[in-house]
């Protein structure tokens, strides 16, 4: 098993990666802080007197502004392959009053920024009405169904992926290498020691000399604790003998 395009898009758009906005009829791109809430709605946080908020002011007769949010993956370590990027197109609307306060609470569930306390004064929140989601990787562009994007959940390991991989390299490199070699069997054995370069709820990616291979977990993991439980037989191979 491996992540669907909708799951990767939701993971990239979750709010832990920097995003830039391309706004219709405005110079850009403009950096913007964002999250995608539990219901798949994109929320945009910015200074009330900043360039982004000014660029999103609707033209006369409209109450929203067309824009594209562009979010590119940042690999956790040198040598890790990138997951690609997601392009989210839609219309952004300024939230005010009770709507802004409710959205600030939704935003805080993903990123508890202190600036949310200033929403309605020095900070403003916009919400995107998502019309189109596209996922790009290795110059291949794929459409992602908007409903699938909204229903998908971000990968639970995405925010701690660097820590997980670094811990494996620092403390369990020999055990992981031995595990990968056992999984490969006699069909292929790399010259260099296998190295974990990416990890998600479905498994991990390892570098085998000049190749990349994906090894799946027996089931998707729910969180870090669940991952530790699942990896225990791998990291303590002798305990299971």
């Amino acid at each position: 098993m491996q992540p669907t395009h909708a799951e990767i898009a939701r993971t990239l758009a979750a709010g832990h990666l920097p995003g830039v906005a391309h706004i219709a009829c405005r110079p850009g791109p403009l950096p913007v802080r964002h999250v995608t809430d539990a219901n798949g709605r994109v929320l945009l946080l910015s200074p009330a007197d900043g360039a982004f908020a000014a660029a999103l002011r609707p033209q006369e007769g409209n109450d929203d502004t067309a824009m594209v949010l562009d979010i590119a993956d940042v690999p956790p370590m040198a040598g890790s392959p990138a997951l690609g990027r997601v392009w989210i197109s839609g219309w952004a609307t300024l939230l005010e009053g009770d709507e802004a306060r409710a959205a600030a609470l939704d935003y805080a569930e993903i990123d508890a920024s202190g600036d949310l306390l200033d929403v309605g004064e020095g900070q403003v929140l916009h919400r995107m009405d998502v019309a189109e989601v596209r996922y790009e990787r290795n110059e291949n562009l794929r459409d992602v169904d908007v409903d699938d994007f909204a229903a998908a959940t971000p990968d639970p390991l995405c925010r701690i992926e660097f820590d997980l991989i670094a811990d494996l390299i620092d403390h369990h490199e020999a055990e992981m290498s031995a595990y990968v070699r056992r999984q490969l069997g006699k069909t292929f054995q790399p010259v260099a020691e296998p190295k974990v370069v990416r990890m998600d709820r479905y498994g991990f990616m390892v570098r085998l000399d000049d190749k990349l291979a994906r090894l799946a977990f027996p089931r998707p993991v729910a969180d870090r604790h669940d991952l530790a439980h699942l990896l225990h037989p791998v990291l303590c191979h002798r305990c299971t003998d």
Side-chain angles (χ1 to χ4, degrees), residues 105-204:
L105 294 176
D106 292 336
Y107 196 109
E109 290 184 3
I110 313 298
D111 176 15
S113 168
D115 287 339
L116 292 168
L117 298 173
D118 203 24
V119 167
E121 300 293 335
Q123 299 285 323
V124 292
L125 276 170
H126 289 78
R127 183 170 59 221
M128 275 187 75
D129 178 14
V130 177
E132 183 179 67
V133 179
R134 291 188 170 187
Y135 170 56
E136 179 186 358
R137 187 173 188 181
N138 299 328
E139 299 183 354
N140 294 316
L141 193 62
R142 300 174 176 89
D143 291 326
V144 175
D145 184 85
V146 172
D147 291 334
D148 290 345
F149 173 80
T153 56
D155 192 279
L157 306 182
C158 64
R159 291 180 180 268
I160 56 173
E161 185 183 11
F162 170 83
D163 294 336
L164 294 173
I165 296 174
D167 181 66
L168 289 176
I169 292 173
D170 292 342
H171 304 293
H172 304 287
E173 188 171 27
E175 293 90 343
M176 284 302 300
S177 176
Y179 171 75
V180 172
R181 289 187 182 277
R182 290 196 301 272
Q183 295 299 108
L184 292 173
K186 297 180 180 179
T187 55
F188 169 75
Q189 287 291 323
V191 175
E193 291 302 317
K195 181 179 180 181
V196 177
V197 291
R198 299 251 25 173
M199 185 175 291
D200 57 50
R201 77 182 99 192
Y202 294 109
F204 50 88

Side-chain angles (χ1 to χ4, degrees), residues 22-91:
H22 306 264
I23 301 172
C25 305
R26 302 289 194 277
L30 296 170
V32 61
R33 296 163 65 185
H34 71 281
V35 301
T36 302
D37 71 15
N39 297 308
R41 298 171 299 192
V42 178
L43 300 174
L44 309 158
L45 177 65
S46 65
D49 58 356
F52 179 74
L56 280 185
R57 289 194 188 109
Q59 296 183 354
E60 187 175 351
N62 297 323
D63 57 6
D64 55 22
T65 303
M67 64 164 283
V68 177
L69 182 62
D70 171 14
I71 309 151
D73 183 38
V74 178
M77 326 194 84
S80 298
L83 296 179
R85 68 196 310 152
V86 62
W87 306 77
I88 303 173
S89 306
W91 289 268

